[in-house]
Amino acid sequence: MTVSVTDGELTDSKGFVITVNNITLGLDDISSIIIYPNPVVNSFQVLASDVVHIEVLTTDGQLVISQVNSGEVDMKNLASGTYLVKLISVRNKVEITRIIKR
């Protein structure tokens, strides 16, 4: 199959046209993010100006923490292991990273 792009429209070799509007590609959707320390003993800090909400999930997707970004996430009551940290920006962009709890 051959695909061509002209003025925001994709056309494949069979003649189907796909119109693409309002797509932004890039890694700037959430400004620089600093999460420390990793591994975590009791809590970790989130430094990111446009992150408004933080979720912590187990590796099988169970939500264990959901909070507004206050800059600190308390994990002292969670078991040791690997967790996923989901950061949601003011523009509803999502960044997911892994953190280890000791």
Side-chain angles (χ1 to χ4, degrees):
M1 177 191 330
T2 304
V3 177
S4 60
V5 179
T6 307
D7 295 327
E9 290 187 344
L10 301 173
T11 306
D12 71 10
S13 59
K14 298 192 188 295
F16 292 100
V17 176
I18 303 166
T19 303
V20 179
N21 294 315
N22 299 323
I23 292 182
T24 302
L25 299 176
L27 301 175
D28 309 284
D29 291 329
I30 297 180
S31 63
S32 67
I33 299 168
I34 299 172
I35 296 177
Y36 70 94
N38 190 6
V40 175
V41 176
N42 289 317
S43 65
F44 65 90
Q45 308 295 314
V46 176
L47 299 179
S49 61
D50 56 351
V51 170
V52 294
H53 195 81
I54 300 169
E55 295 179 353
V56 178
L57 302 99
T58 62
T59 54
D60 63 357
Q62 180 185 6
L63 182 65
V64 291
I65 295 173
S66 180
Q67 70 178 55
V68 173
N69 184 13
S70 64
E72 182 174 12
V73 178
D74 183 359
M75 294 182 70
K76 69 180 168 221
N77 293 325
L78 297 180
S80 297
T82 301
Y83 292 87
L84 302 175
V85 178
K86 182 177 178 181
L87 306 166
I88 304 165
S89 80
V90 294
R91 294 175 304 235
N92 288 322
K93 302 296 180 181
V94 175
E95 179 81 22
I96 298 175
T97 190
R98 189 171 33 197
I99 199 160
I100 298 169
K101 165 72 166 66
R102 288 196 176 166

mmCIF file with all atom_site columns, all heavy atoms in Angstrom, residues 65-85:
data_model
loop_
_atom_site.group_PDB
_atom_site.id
_atom_site.type_symbol
_atom_site.label_atom_id
_atom_site.label_alt_id
_atom_site.label_comp_id
_atom_site.label_asym_id
_atom_site.label_entity_id
_atom_site.label_seq_id
_atom_site.pdbx_PDB_ins_code
_atom_site.Cartn_x
_atom_site.Cartn_y
_atom_site.Cartn_z
_atom_site.occupancy
_atom_site.B_iso_or_equiv
_atom_site.pdbx_formal_charge
_atom_site.auth_seq_id
_atom_site.auth_comp_id
_atom_site.auth_asym_id
_atom_site.auth_atom_id
_atom_site.pdbx_PDB_model_num
ATOM 1   N N   . ILE A 1 65 ? -3.607 5.678  44.745 1.00 0.00 ? 65 ILE A N   1
ATOM 2   C CA  . ILE A 1 65 ? -3.551 7.074  45.185 1.00 0.00 ? 65 ILE A CA  1
ATOM 3   C C   . ILE A 1 65 ? -4.070 7.933  44.041 1.00 0.00 ? 65 ILE A C   1
ATOM 4   O O   . ILE A 1 65 ? -3.698 7.732  42.879 1.00 0.00 ? 65 ILE A O   1
ATOM 5   C CB  . ILE A 1 65 ? -2.116 7.514  45.554 1.00 0.00 ? 65 ILE A CB  1
ATOM 6   C CG1 . ILE A 1 65 ? -1.592 6.741  46.762 1.00 0.00 ? 65 ILE A CG1 1
ATOM 7   C CG2 . ILE A 1 65 ? -2.055 9.022  45.821 1.00 0.00 ? 65 ILE A CG2 1
ATOM 8   C CD1 . ILE A 1 65 ? -0.132 7.011  47.080 1.00 0.00 ? 65 ILE A CD1 1
ATOM 9   N N   . SER A 1 66 ? -4.906 8.905  44.381 1.00 0.00 ? 66 SER A N   1
ATOM 10  C CA  . SER A 1 66 ? -5.389 9.889  43.420 1.00 0.00 ? 66 SER A CA  1
ATOM 11  C C   . SER A 1 66 ? -5.464 11.215 44.151 1.00 0.00 ? 66 SER A C   1
ATOM 12  O O   . SER A 1 66 ? -6.172 11.330 45.153 1.00 0.00 ? 66 SER A O   1
ATOM 13  C CB  . SER A 1 66 ? -6.761 9.485  42.885 1.00 0.00 ? 66 SER A CB  1
ATOM 14  O OG  . SER A 1 66 ? -7.233 10.435 41.959 1.00 0.00 ? 66 SER A OG  1
ATOM 15  N N   . GLN A 1 67 ? -4.711 12.209 43.672 1.00 0.00 ? 67 GLN A N   1
ATOM 16  C CA  . GLN A 1 67 ? -4.676 13.476 44.388 1.00 0.00 ? 67 GLN A CA  1
ATOM 17  C C   . GLN A 1 67 ? -4.334 14.627 43.460 1.00 0.00 ? 67 GLN A C   1
ATOM 18  O O   . GLN A 1 67 ? -3.738 14.445 42.405 1.00 0.00 ? 67 GLN A O   1
ATOM 19  C CB  . GLN A 1 67 ? -3.659 13.424 45.538 1.00 0.00 ? 67 GLN A CB  1
ATOM 20  C CG  . GLN A 1 67 ? -2.209 13.371 45.078 1.00 0.00 ? 67 GLN A CG  1
ATOM 21  C CD  . GLN A 1 67 ? -1.236 13.369 46.242 1.00 0.00 ? 67 GLN A CD  1
ATOM 22  O OE1 . GLN A 1 67 ? -1.333 12.521 47.126 1.00 0.00 ? 67 GLN A OE1 1
ATOM 23  N NE2 . GLN A 1 67 ? -0.310 14.313 46.245 1.00 0.00 ? 67 GLN A NE2 1
ATOM 24  N N   . VAL A 1 68 ? -4.720 15.813 43.902 1.00 0.00 ? 68 VAL A N   1
ATOM 25  C CA  . VAL A 1 68 ? -4.305 17.042 43.245 1.00 0.00 ? 68 VAL A CA  1
ATOM 26  C C   . VAL A 1 68 ? -2.805 17.197 43.493 1.00 0.00 ? 68 VAL A C   1
ATOM 27  O O   . VAL A 1 68 ? -2.306 16.813 44.560 1.00 0.00 ? 68 VAL A O   1
ATOM 28  C CB  . VAL A 1 68 ? -5.090 18.242 43.823 1.00 0.00 ? 68 VAL A CB  1
ATOM 29  C CG1 . VAL A 1 68 ? -4.568 19.560 43.283 1.00 0.00 ? 68 VAL A CG1 1
ATOM 30  C CG2 . VAL A 1 68 ? -6.573 18.087 43.550 1.00 0.00 ? 68 VAL A CG2 1
ATOM 31  N N   . ASN A 1 69 ? -2.094 17.746 42.519 1.00 0.00 ? 69 ASN A N   1
ATOM 32  C CA  . ASN A 1 69 ? -0.646 17.909 42.689 1.00 0.00 ? 69 ASN A CA  1
ATOM 33  C C   . ASN A 1 69 ? -0.342 18.949 43.759 1.00 0.00 ? 69 ASN A C   1
ATOM 34  O O   . ASN A 1 69 ? -0.521 20.143 43.552 1.00 0.00 ? 69 ASN A O   1
ATOM 35  C CB  . ASN A 1 69 ? 0.010  18.311 41.373 1.00 0.00 ? 69 ASN A CB  1
ATOM 36  C CG  . ASN A 1 69 ? 1.518  18.397 41.495 1.00 0.00 ? 69 ASN A CG  1
ATOM 37  O OD1 . ASN A 1 69 ? 2.109  17.939 42.460 1.00 0.00 ? 69 ASN A OD1 1
ATOM 38  N ND2 . ASN A 1 69 ? 2.154  18.986 40.503 1.00 0.00 ? 69 ASN A ND2 1
ATOM 39  N N   . SER A 1 70 ? 0.111  18.473 44.908 1.00 0.00 ? 70 SER A N   1
ATOM 40  C CA  . SER A 1 70 ? 0.531  19.357 45.996 1.00 0.00 ? 70 SER A CA  1
ATOM 41  C C   . SER A 1 70 ? 2.053  19.428 46.068 1.00 0.00 ? 70 SER A C   1
ATOM 42  O O   . SER A 1 70 ? 2.602  20.086 46.932 1.00 0.00 ? 70 SER A O   1
ATOM 43  C CB  . SER A 1 70 ? -0.022 18.854 47.324 1.00 0.00 ? 70 SER A CB  1
ATOM 44  O OG  . SER A 1 70 ? 0.533  17.575 47.617 1.00 0.00 ? 70 SER A OG  1
ATOM 45  N N   . GLY A 1 71 ? 2.723  18.688 45.171 1.00 0.00 ? 71 GLY A N   1
ATOM 46  C CA  . GLY A 1 71 ? 4.170  18.649 45.170 1.00 0.00 ? 71 GLY A CA  1
ATOM 47  C C   . GLY A 1 71 ? 4.741  17.431 45.858 1.00 0.00 ? 71 GLY A C   1
ATOM 48  O O   . GLY A 1 71 ? 5.889  17.077 45.648 1.00 0.00 ? 71 GLY A O   1
ATOM 49  N N   . GLU A 1 72 ? 3.936  16.777 46.712 1.00 0.00 ? 72 GLU A N   1
ATOM 50  C CA  . GLU A 1 72 ? 4.417  15.605 47.435 1.00 0.00 ? 72 GLU A CA  1
ATOM 51  C C   . GLU A 1 72 ? 3.349  14.511 47.436 1.00 0.00 ? 72 GLU A C   1
ATOM 52  O O   . GLU A 1 72 ? 2.164  14.790 47.570 1.00 0.00 ? 72 GLU A O   1
ATOM 53  C CB  . GLU A 1 72 ? 4.758  15.963 48.885 1.00 0.00 ? 72 GLU A CB  1
ATOM 54  C CG  . GLU A 1 72 ? 5.305  14.811 49.682 1.00 0.00 ? 72 GLU A CG  1
ATOM 55  C CD  . GLU A 1 72 ? 5.768  15.222 51.074 1.00 0.00 ? 72 GLU A CD  1
ATOM 56  O OE1 . GLU A 1 72 ? 5.465  16.346 51.510 1.00 0.00 ? 72 GLU A OE1 1
ATOM 57  O OE2 . GLU A 1 72 ? 6.422  14.402 51.718 1.00 0.00 ? 72 GLU A OE2 1
ATOM 58  N N   . VAL A 1 73 ? 3.806  13.266 47.275 1.00 0.00 ? 73 VAL A N   1
ATOM 59  C CA  . VAL A 1 73 ? 2.898  12.119 47.295 1.00 0.00 ? 73 VAL A CA  1
ATOM 60  C C   . VAL A 1 73 ? 3.368  11.180 48.400 1.00 0.00 ? 73 VAL A C   1
ATOM 61  O O   . VAL A 1 73 ? 4.510  10.720 48.394 1.00 0.00 ? 73 VAL A O   1
ATOM 62  C CB  . VAL A 1 73 ? 2.883  11.386 45.938 1.00 0.00 ? 73 VAL A CB  1
ATOM 63  C CG1 . VAL A 1 73 ? 1.976  10.169 46.002 1.00 0.00 ? 73 VAL A CG1 1
ATOM 64  C CG2 . VAL A 1 73 ? 2.440  12.340 44.833 1.00 0.00 ? 73 VAL A CG2 1
ATOM 65  N N   . ASP A 1 74 ? 2.491  10.910 49.351 1.00 0.00 ? 74 ASP A N   1
ATOM 66  C CA  . ASP A 1 74 ? 2.800  10.056 50.498 1.00 0.00 ? 74 ASP A CA  1
ATOM 67  C C   . ASP A 1 74 ? 2.510  8.596  50.140 1.00 0.00 ? 74 ASP A C   1
ATOM 68  O O   . ASP A 1 74 ? 1.383  8.242  49.817 1.00 0.00 ? 74 ASP A O   1
ATOM 69  C CB  . ASP A 1 74 ? 1.939  10.486 51.682 1.00 0.00 ? 74 ASP A CB  1
ATOM 70  C CG  . ASP A 1 74 ? 2.228  9.705  52.954 1.00 0.00 ? 74 ASP A CG  1
ATOM 71  O OD1 . ASP A 1 74 ? 3.091  8.802  52.935 1.00 0.00 ? 74 ASP A OD1 1
ATOM 72  O OD2 . ASP A 1 74 ? 1.581  10.005 53.974 1.00 0.00 ? 74 ASP A OD2 1
ATOM 73  N N   . MET A 1 75 ? 3.545  7.757  50.205 1.00 0.00 ? 75 MET A N   1
ATOM 74  C CA  . MET A 1 75 ? 3.408  6.326  49.897 1.00 0.00 ? 75 MET A CA  1
ATOM 75  C C   . MET A 1 75 ? 3.720  5.443  51.097 1.00 0.00 ? 75 MET A C   1
ATOM 76  O O   . MET A 1 75 ? 3.842  4.234  50.943 1.00 0.00 ? 75 MET A O   1
ATOM 77  C CB  . MET A 1 75 ? 4.338  5.949  48.726 1.00 0.00 ? 75 MET A CB  1
ATOM 78  C CG  . MET A 1 75 ? 3.976  6.585  47.412 1.00 0.00 ? 75 MET A CG  1
ATOM 79  S SD  . MET A 1 75 ? 5.069  6.053  46.073 1.00 0.00 ? 75 MET A SD  1
ATOM 80  C CE  . MET A 1 75 ? 4.578  4.346  45.864 1.00 0.00 ? 75 MET A CE  1
ATOM 81  N N   . LYS A 1 76 ? 3.840  6.023  52.295 1.00 0.00 ? 76 LYS A N   1
ATOM 82  C CA  . LYS A 1 76 ? 4.294  5.238  53.443 1.00 0.00 ? 76 LYS A CA  1
ATOM 83  C C   . LYS A 1 76 ? 3.381  4.069  53.781 1.00 0.00 ? 76 LYS A C   1
ATOM 84  O O   . LYS A 1 76 ? 3.810  3.088  54.351 1.00 0.00 ? 76 LYS A O   1
ATOM 85  C CB  . LYS A 1 76 ? 4.545  6.119  54.659 1.00 0.00 ? 76 LYS A CB  1
ATOM 86  C CG  . LYS A 1 76 ? 3.326  6.723  55.275 1.00 0.00 ? 76 LYS A CG  1
ATOM 87  C CD  . LYS A 1 76 ? 3.695  7.589  56.471 1.00 0.00 ? 76 LYS A CD  1
ATOM 88  C CE  . LYS A 1 76 ? 2.506  8.415  56.878 1.00 0.00 ? 76 LYS A CE  1
ATOM 89  N NZ  . LYS A 1 76 ? 2.883  9.765  57.226 1.00 0.00 ? 76 LYS A NZ  1
ATOM 90  N N   . ASN A 1 77 ? 2.090  4.146  53.424 1.00 0.00 ? 77 ASN A N   1
ATOM 91  C CA  . ASN A 1 77 ? 1.161  3.054  53.741 1.00 0.00 ? 77 ASN A CA  1
ATOM 92  C C   . ASN A 1 77 ? 1.066  2.004  52.629 1.00 0.00 ? 77 ASN A C   1
ATOM 93  O O   . ASN A 1 77 ? 0.279  1.063  52.755 1.00 0.00 ? 77 ASN A O   1
ATOM 94  C CB  . ASN A 1 77 ? -0.236 3.622  54.037 1.00 0.00 ? 77 ASN A CB  1
ATOM 95  C CG  . ASN A 1 77 ? -0.239 4.445  55.308 1.00 0.00 ? 77 ASN A CG  1
ATOM 96  O OD1 . ASN A 1 77 ? 0.467  4.136  56.259 1.00 0.00 ? 77 ASN A OD1 1
ATOM 97  N ND2 . ASN A 1 77 ? -1.007 5.512  55.309 1.00 0.00 ? 77 ASN A ND2 1
ATOM 98  N N   . LEU A 1 78 ? 1.852  2.151  51.578 1.00 0.00 ? 78 LEU A N   1
ATOM 99  C CA  . LEU A 1 78 ? 1.831  1.183  50.481 1.00 0.00 ? 78 LEU A CA  1
ATOM 100 C C   . LEU A 1 78 ? 2.931  0.145  50.667 1.00 0.00 ? 78 LEU A C   1
ATOM 101 O O   . LEU A 1 78 ? 3.992  0.438  51.227 1.00 0.00 ? 78 LEU A O   1
ATOM 102 C CB  . LEU A 1 78 ? 2.017  1.884  49.136 1.00 0.00 ? 78 LEU A CB  1
ATOM 103 C CG  . LEU A 1 78 ? 0.931  2.885  48.739 1.00 0.00 ? 78 LEU A CG  1
ATOM 104 C CD1 . LEU A 1 78 ? 1.253  3.486  47.380 1.00 0.00 ? 78 LEU A CD1 1
ATOM 105 C CD2 . LEU A 1 78 ? -0.437 2.240  48.731 1.00 0.00 ? 78 LEU A CD2 1
ATOM 106 N N   . ALA A 1 79 ? 2.670  -1.044 50.174 1.00 0.00 ? 79 ALA A N   1
ATOM 107 C CA  . ALA A 1 79 ? 3.666  -2.125 50.239 1.00 0.00 ? 79 ALA A CA  1
ATOM 108 C C   . ALA A 1 79 ? 4.839  -1.821 49.319 1.00 0.00 ? 79 ALA A C   1
ATOM 109 O O   . ALA A 1 79 ? 4.714  -1.064 48.349 1.00 0.00 ? 79 ALA A O   1
ATOM 110 C CB  . ALA A 1 79 ? 3.003  -3.445 49.829 1.00 0.00 ? 79 ALA A CB  1
ATOM 111 N N   . SER A 1 80 ? 5.968  -2.430 49.624 1.00 0.00 ? 80 SER A N   1
ATOM 112 C CA  . SER A 1 80 ? 7.139  -2.297 48.758 1.00 0.00 ? 80 SER A CA  1
ATOM 113 C C   . SER A 1 80 ? 6.824  -2.895 47.390 1.00 0.00 ? 80 SER A C   1
ATOM 114 O O   . SER A 1 80 ? 6.062  -3.856 47.288 1.00 0.00 ? 80 SER A O   1
ATOM 115 C CB  . SER A 1 80 ? 8.335  -3.023 49.370 1.00 0.00 ? 80 SER A CB  1
ATOM 116 O OG  . SER A 1 80 ? 8.678  -2.441 50.603 1.00 0.00 ? 80 SER A OG  1
ATOM 117 N N   . GLY A 1 81 ? 7.404  -2.307 46.355 1.00 0.00 ? 81 GLY A N   1
ATOM 118 C CA  . GLY A 1 81 ? 7.191  -2.825 45.010 1.00 0.00 ? 81 GLY A CA  1
ATOM 119 C C   . GLY A 1 81 ? 7.286  -1.736 43.963 1.00 0.00 ? 81 GLY A C   1
ATOM 120 O O   . GLY A 1 81 ? 7.674  -0.599 44.244 1.00 0.00 ? 81 GLY A O   1
ATOM 121 N N   . THR A 1 82 ? 6.906  -2.075 42.747 1.00 0.00 ? 82 THR A N   1
ATOM 122 C CA  . THR A 1 82 ? 6.943  -1.153 41.625 1.00 0.00 ? 82 THR A CA  1
ATOM 123 C C   . THR A 1 82 ? 5.544  -0.596 41.393 1.00 0.00 ? 82 THR A C   1
ATOM 124 O O   . THR A 1 82 ? 4.561  -1.326 41.415 1.00 0.00 ? 82 THR A O   1
ATOM 125 C CB  . THR A 1 82 ? 7.437  -1.870 40.355 1.00 0.00 ? 82 THR A CB  1
ATOM 126 O OG1 . THR A 1 82 ? 8.747  -2.390 40.610 1.00 0.00 ? 82 THR A OG1 1
ATOM 127 C CG2 . THR A 1 82 ? 7.496  -0.940 39.174 1.00 0.00 ? 82 THR A CG2 1
ATOM 128 N N   . TYR A 1 83 ? 5.469  0.703  41.166 1.00 0.00 ? 83 TYR A N   1
ATOM 129 C CA  . TYR A 1 83 ? 4.207  1.396  40.919 1.00 0.00 ? 83 TYR A CA  1
ATOM 130 C C   . TYR A 1 83 ? 4.335  2.266  39.674 1.00 0.00 ? 83 TYR A C   1
ATOM 131 O O   . TYR A 1 83 ? 5.441  2.651  39.281 1.00 0.00 ? 83 TYR A O   1
ATOM 132 C CB  . TYR A 1 83 ? 3.836  2.282  42.119 1.00 0.00 ? 83 TYR A CB  1
ATOM 133 C CG  . TYR A 1 83 ? 3.494  1.496  43.351 1.00 0.00 ? 83 TYR A CG  1
ATOM 134 C CD1 . TYR A 1 83 ? 4.488  1.087  44.240 1.00 0.00 ? 83 TYR A CD1 1
ATOM 135 C CD2 . TYR A 1 83 ? 2.178  1.136  43.626 1.00 0.00 ? 83 TYR A CD2 1
ATOM 136 C CE1 . TYR A 1 83 ? 4.178  0.346  45.367 1.00 0.00 ? 83 TYR A CE1 1
ATOM 137 C CE2 . TYR A 1 83 ? 1.858  0.389  44.753 1.00 0.00 ? 83 TYR A CE2 1
ATOM 138 C CZ  . TYR A 1 83 ? 2.863  0.007  45.618 1.00 0.00 ? 83 TYR A CZ  1
ATOM 139 O OH  . TYR A 1 83 ? 2.555  -0.741 46.734 1.00 0.00 ? 83 TYR A OH  1
ATOM 140 N N   . LEU A 1 84 ? 3.204  2.577  39.088 1.00 0.00 ? 84 LEU A N   1
ATOM 141 C CA  . LEU A 1 84 ? 3.143  3.513  37.963 1.00 0.00 ? 84 LEU A CA  1
ATOM 142 C C   . LEU A 1 84 ? 2.630  4.842  38.478 1.00 0.00 ? 84 LEU A C   1
ATOM 143 O O   . LEU A 1 84 ? 1.660  4.891  39.244 1.00 0.00 ? 84 LEU A O   1
ATOM 144 C CB  . LEU A 1 84 ? 2.219  2.982  36.871 1.00 0.00 ? 84 LEU A CB  1
ATOM 145 C CG  . LEU A 1 84 ? 2.594  1.625  36.298 1.00 0.00 ? 84 LEU A CG  1
ATOM 146 C CD1 . LEU A 1 84 ? 1.529  1.151  35.319 1.00 0.00 ? 84 LEU A CD1 1
ATOM 147 C CD2 . LEU A 1 84 ? 3.952  1.682  35.621 1.00 0.00 ? 84 LEU A CD2 1
ATOM 148 N N   . VAL A 1 85 ? 3.273  5.924  38.075 1.00 0.00 ? 85 VAL A N   1
ATOM 149 C CA  . VAL A 1 85 ? 2.845  7.267  38.449 1.00 0.00 ? 85 VAL A CA  1
ATOM 150 C C   . VAL A 1 85 ? 2.304  7.928  37.187 1.00 0.00 ? 85 VAL A C   1
ATOM 151 O O   . VAL A 1 85 ? 3.011  8.051  36.189 1.00 0.00 ? 85 VAL A O   1
ATOM 152 C CB  . VAL A 1 85 ? 4.016  8.090  39.029 1.00 0.00 ? 85 VAL A CB  1
ATOM 153 C CG1 . VAL A 1 85 ? 3.560  9.504  39.356 1.00 0.00 ? 85 VAL A CG1 1
ATOM 154 C CG2 . VAL A 1 85 ? 4.586  7.408  40.263 1.00 0.00 ? 85 VAL A CG2 1
#
